[in-house]
Amino acid sequence: MSYSSKKIAEAIFIVNRHSKAATDPRYLYRLKKAAIEKLIQEGQAKKLGLQYSNNPKKSYQHSNLLIDCHGFLFHLPPQKQDMKDLPHLGTMQPVKATTQVRMSLSHAKSTLENYTGVKPDPLKKSAFYENASPYFR
């Protein structure tokens, strides 16, 4: 199945938005990262630079990689080479979402799974399920 890079960017946007409220966002973030990396390799997305994170880890400031794909801006952890090659853009500025994206999470996930080949681990249970009371199992 073939998707345009704009549809992939929209699917990443939906997955990223839902991952912020998910009980176990690891798989959603893995999908996001794989799709963005593939778009960069194909020349459909561009690394813009580094920005300070709004959420410092253990009271230490760190930077995130800012990526543009069809007007959507995404952040990923930077690689060592990114830290050497890319300019630092300072602090993150709030961005108003100007585009309306209407896509269900399940459709966005299946789009990214087909595009990247990343699949959920069938034997892995969610963190919610592992930590739940025996009454929920």
Side-chain angles (χ1 to χ4, degrees):
M1 197 173 239
S2 177
Y3 296 102
S4 71
S5 56
K6 185 167 177 16
K7 277 288 179 207
I8 300 297
E10 290 174 352
I12 295 169
F13 175 79
I14 295 296
V15 164
N16 193 44
R17 185 173 67 192
H18 280 84
S19 65
K20 295 175 188 334
T23 55
D24 187 15
R26 289 176 290 189
Y27 176 63
L28 296 178
Y29 282 128
R30 198 171 89 207
L31 263 180
K32 171 191 167 185
K33 183 178 180 190
I36 290 173
E37 288 175 349
K38 189 169 179 181
L39 286 170
I40 290 170
Q41 287 175 348
E42 294 173 349
Q44 300 296 322
K46 183 180 177 188
K47 295 178 181 181
L48 299 178
L50 302 166
Q51 289 185 318
Y52 288 120
S53 172
N54 289 336
N55 303 314
K57 291 182 182 176
K58 298 179 183 172
S59 299
Y60 291 106
Q61 187 60 263
H62 68 281
S63 297
N64 289 323
L65 176 62
L66 180 65
I67 299 152
D68 177 35
C69 183
H70 290 280
F72 291 96
L73 298 175
F74 302 109
H75 288 98
L76 284 180
Q79 310 259 319
K80 283 185 182 179
Q81 198 61 36
D82 296 328
M83 299 293 279
K84 293 177 186 175
D85 296 343
L86 296 171
H88 208 289
L89 306 172
T91 58
M92 288 186 192
Q93 301 299 319
V95 178
K96 285 189 175 183
T98 57
T99 55
Q100 291 286 330
V101 179
R102 296 191 188 278
M103 184 185 298
S104 70
L105 177 60
S106 61
H107 181 70
K109 282 172 40 178
S110 67
T111 299
L112 296 182
E113 288 169 353
N114 290 332
Y115 176 66
T116 63
V118 172
K119 300 288 181 202
D121 187 359
L123 302 176
K124 182 99 172 127
K125 296 177 184 171
S126 74
F128 174 79
Y129 185 82
E130 288 175 357
N131 297 327
S133 150
Y135 296 109
F136 290 109
R137 294 182 194 164

